[in-house]
Amino acid sequence: MLLNWKDEYSVGIEAVDYEHKQLIDLINRLHEELAAKDSKLTVSAFLGDLLKGISAHFALEETFMRSLGYDRLAVHKEDHERLLDALRDIMDTFENAEEIDAGELSKQLDTWFSHHFRTHDAELHRILGAHPSTPATT
Ligand SMILES: [Fe+2]
Ligand SMILES: [Fe+2]
């Protein structure tokens, strides 16, 4: 297991927390696929799923931030864009590479997401904590 869910990651919006847990699961599964040295096809499919899941998740967070008039939206969104660009780069590299350094890839994913959770998402959590009237999650 590469990443572990921690309660401190909670941003106080059920739908966001749920997606964070799902993304952690997906990254852990990708990590296992890589470690198992399964076919390149499997890993490509995982990277594709991960990109889709992450894009959808970022869009959800941005919707919440917008509806709250969150003043750190621009910086937070910028970090989302940066992570998506980096993931697309990884996918390109992966598609063209003969061999991939699985350990390096896993480490990179872990570093980014733990960092994003601990900084941007945690900050969002603090702000939301001060707004008991958080938008309802449907
Ligand atoms: Fe975020
Ligand atoms: Fe997030």
Side-chain angles (χ1 to χ4, degrees), residues 9 11 16-17 19-20 23 54 57-58 61 76 80 83 113 116-117 120-121 124:
Y9 289 160
V11 295
V16 173
D17 287 345
E19 286 195 1
H20 278 171
L23 289 176
I54 288 173
H57 167 68
F58 286 174
E61 270 187 11
H76 194 141
H80 284 170
L83 291 173
F113 286 97
H116 185 83
F117 285 158
H120 295 281
D121 288 355
L124 176 59

Side-chain angles (χ1 to χ4, degrees), residues 13 15-16 59-69 134-137:
I13 302 176
V16 173
L60 176 76
E61 270 187 11
E62 287 160 19
T63 302
F64 276 122
M65 290 190 277
R66 221 168 277 125
S67 72
L68 282 167
T134 298
T137 55

Side-chain angles (χ1 to χ4, degrees), residues 47-61:
L47 285 172
D49 283 352
L50 191 61
L51 183 65
K52 249 188 273 165
I54 288 173
S55 309
H57 167 68
F58 286 174
L60 176 76
E61 270 187 11

